[in-house]
Amino acid sequence: MVSVRYLFDQLLREEWRMHARLFGGWRFAAFPVFLAALAAGTATFFALAGSETETLLAGLHVVVALVGLQVGSIGLVGRDALGDLLGDVTLLVFSARTLPVSERRLLAVFVVKDVLYYALLFIAPLVVGVAPLVVLTDLSVAVLPRLLASAWLAFAFGVGTSLLLVGLATRSRLLAALVGVAALAGGSLRPGLVVAFTPFGLYADPSYFRLAVSVTVPLLAAVVGFSLFEFDRTGTTRTAGNQFRRLTGLFGARDEQGLLAKSLLDVARSSGSLWKVLLSQGLIFGVVAILLGYIPDILVGVRPSPGLTLGSVLALGAFTTYNWLCQYDDAAFFGTYPIDLARVFEAKLWAFFLLAVPAGGFYLALGTVVFGPTSLLVGATVYVPVAVYVFGVTAYVAGLRPTELLFDTPVFMLFSGAVMAVLLPLVVLAIAYPLAPTRISVAAVGLSLVAGLLGVVGYRRAGPKWTRRARAGDL
């Protein structure tokens, strides 16, 4: 049996070599530097605007916990990945059936490697980025090590929570949904629990008890998740009807080559099915709802518009839907068939509409129950054009490999700048909404419509751009 230490060393080397060779060593190595600069700029902006230091640091913990949830969601694709024996590239995490190592041990070491890898290269730079607060606010240099420790633990908390939910989902999706809803409800109704049982409490009110809780909770969640996780599909015959023909018949002339049907079936037949689209947006909704409800006076003593905030952030969260739609595609694959890449992006756009719009609409409708219908109408109006903008930007800068190419520092800088150019003005408008609701609503809708048009331009240019790069061998 292969030792854990050997597996860890090889997986860590593989991760670094894969990214360094894919983007070039300096392009990937510069990624943490850019993250620190981005965090420093964001912290400076909100500090100068009058935000409370504790609010900013609470937001930092939320961000790193969400990153942890994303990293832990390896379980949503893990069963598919572990079912692949060979591909264009055979990674170690796919090799449980070809090497003398169990799937459970391999995935456990893989997750531990990811936790340490992301903690050092991504979470630590985000904490370094809050250094301007030492000068601009009353934040003490002495608390920075504690902040780093609590941020790392918040990241681990997100990973452990995600693994627990995925493990439960392999046994009962209903049970996993109930646990997720119960956790969100507990955080909403009893916000003190968030401080008591999450690593943010270690920073806010340090004690040996909170340290023990901050370490034990994510570890226990991960262990339970792994113990529940079901890897083996042998012994169960899986069949599926000819949904491809039915979908292509339904879409008719809109999908003559079957690209739209393929995109939808890629998501529906992968682990997590279509539910993962709803889950990813649900996590965003839950976090935003808690922040809106229990962190008053976020900026300059004004409570943001719930509808405009939800519409903007959910539209940004639709990026994950684009990820799911592209998880099995690349331009080289389509190059072996008489298929124009512009048609591929067109199919992705329609599939994006069919998945992202209902998911976002559901949570915006839920928001009317929580916050009332008034400002949610503005949020619903803003959601679709901003989501189109996110789609167009992602398609243009990252093509059909958004997860990989966004680790390329120049690409990520371009993507971040384009998204922030729309998101930050919308956040400012949401904060100022109570001062002049009608005029700000008109401004927000106008900005979102312009963003939507720019998104359409990016989408239309994505096909020709990636076709040229494919023909030049620059993919």
Side-chain angles (χ1 to χ4, degrees), residues 228-250:
L228 294 174
F229 198 94
E230 290 186 344
F231 295 88
D232 194 7
R233 288 178 173 170
T234 58
T236 302
T237 301
R238 301 178 73 242
T239 60
N242 192 351
Q243 296 173 317
F244 181 81
R245 177 176 295 178
R246 187 169 61 197
L247 286 174
T248 52
L250 176 65

Side-chain angles (χ1 to χ4, degrees), residues 197-357:
F197 292 101
T198 67
F200 180 66
L202 178 63
Y203 170 77
D205 185 19
S207 67
Y208 288 113
F209 172 75
R210 293 194 188 280
L211 176 61
V213 170
S214 298
V215 173
T216 302
V217 170
L219 185 61
L220 183 62
V223 169
V224 173
F226 272 118
S227 65
L228 294 174
F229 198 94
E230 290 186 344
F231 295 88
D232 194 7
R233 288 178 173 170
T234 58
T236 302
T237 301
R238 301 178 73 242
T239 60
N242 192 351
Q243 296 173 317
F244 181 81
R245 177 176 295 178
R246 187 169 61 197
L247 286 174
T248 52
L250 176 65
F251 298 136
R254 175 63 61 189
D255 193 29
E256 292 180 347
Q257 294 179 301
L259 297 172
L260 174 54
K262 175 191 178 300
S263 295
L264 293 174
L265 289 175
D266 281 345
V267 180
R269 291 179 176 175
S270 62
S271 294
S273 187
L274 298 176
W275 291 104
K276 58 177 169 275
V277 178
L278 198 63
L279 174 63
S280 62
Q281 291 289 67
L283 291 172
I284 295 172
F285 173 83
V287 170
V288 173
I290 291 173
L291 290 176
L292 288 173
Y294 294 98
I295 303 183
D297 302 327
I298 290 180
L299 197 63
V300 201
V302 178
R303 184 184 295 273
S305 159
L308 190 50
T309 303
L310 275 174
S312 304
V313 178
L314 285 173
L316 177 61
F319 166 78
T320 59
T321 302
Y322 185 81
N323 266 353
W324 296 125
L325 288 169
C326 298
Q327 61 184 324
Y328 299 121
D329 291 329
D330 61 47
F333 168 78
F334 290 108
T336 60
Y337 297 93
I339 296 175
D340 187 352
L341 281 182
R343 299 297 300 272
V344 175
F345 284 107
E346 180 183 355
K348 298 299 180 185
L349 178 62
W350 284 105
F352 181 82
F353 279 134
L354 291 174
L355 297 181
V357 173

Side-chain angles (χ1 to χ4, degrees), residues 46-133:
F46 282 105
L48 294 176
S51 295
E52 294 291 334
T53 303
E54 292 301 313
T55 301
L56 293 176
L57 297 181
L60 172 66
H61 284 79
V62 170
V63 169
V64 298
L66 289 175
V67 174
L69 285 171
Q70 179 67 24
V71 172
S73 67
I74 178 63
L76 289 174
V77 297
R79 285 179 297 162
D80 295 323
L82 290 170
D84 295 334
L85 293 178
L86 294 173
D88 293 333
V89 177
T90 302
L91 300 178
L92 285 175
V93 72
F94 302 159
S95 60
R97 295 182 183 178
T98 56
L99 294 178
V101 57
S102 69
E103 291 172 324
R104 197 172 301 278
R105 170 180 287 200
L106 185 58
L107 190 57
V109 177
F110 179 83
V111 170
V112 171
K113 178 269 301 179
D114 259 13
V115 168
L116 295 177
Y117 189 80
Y118 283 92
L120 292 174
L121 289 179
F122 303 107
I123 307 305
L126 290 178
V127 175
V128 171
V130 305
L133 297 181

Side-chain angles (χ1 to χ4, degrees), residues 124-191:
L126 290 178
V127 175
V128 171
V130 305
L133 297 181
V134 175
V135 178
L136 299 173
T137 68
D138 58 352
L139 182 67
S140 171
V141 176
V143 303
L144 291 182
R146 188 170 81 230
L147 177 62
L148 179 61
S150 62
W152 277 340
L153 289 170
F155 175 68
F157 180 86
V159 173
T161 301
S162 185
L163 291 173
L164 174 61
L165 292 175
V166 170
L168 287 171
T170 63
R171 302 301 181 105
S172 170
R173 292 179 181 176
L174 177 61
L175 180 59
L178 290 176
V179 170
V181 170
L184 289 175
S188 301
L189 299 175
R190 297 287 301 278

Side-chain angles (χ1 to χ4, degrees), residues 55 125 168 208 268 336 362-363 397 409 450 462:
T55 301
L168 287 171
Y208 288 113
T336 60
F362 171 79
Y363 288 108
V397 303
T409 303
V450 172

Side-chain angles (χ1 to χ4, degrees), residues 331 341 345 394-401 405 461-471 474-475:
L341 281 182
F345 284 107
T394 310
Y396 183 78
V397 303
L400 297 175
R401 297 189 298 167
L405 289 186
R461 292 187 176 182
K465 172 189 174 180
W466 292 102
T467 298
R468 289 193 302 270
R469 292 188 59 170
R471 289 173 177 172
D474 183 23
L475 289 175

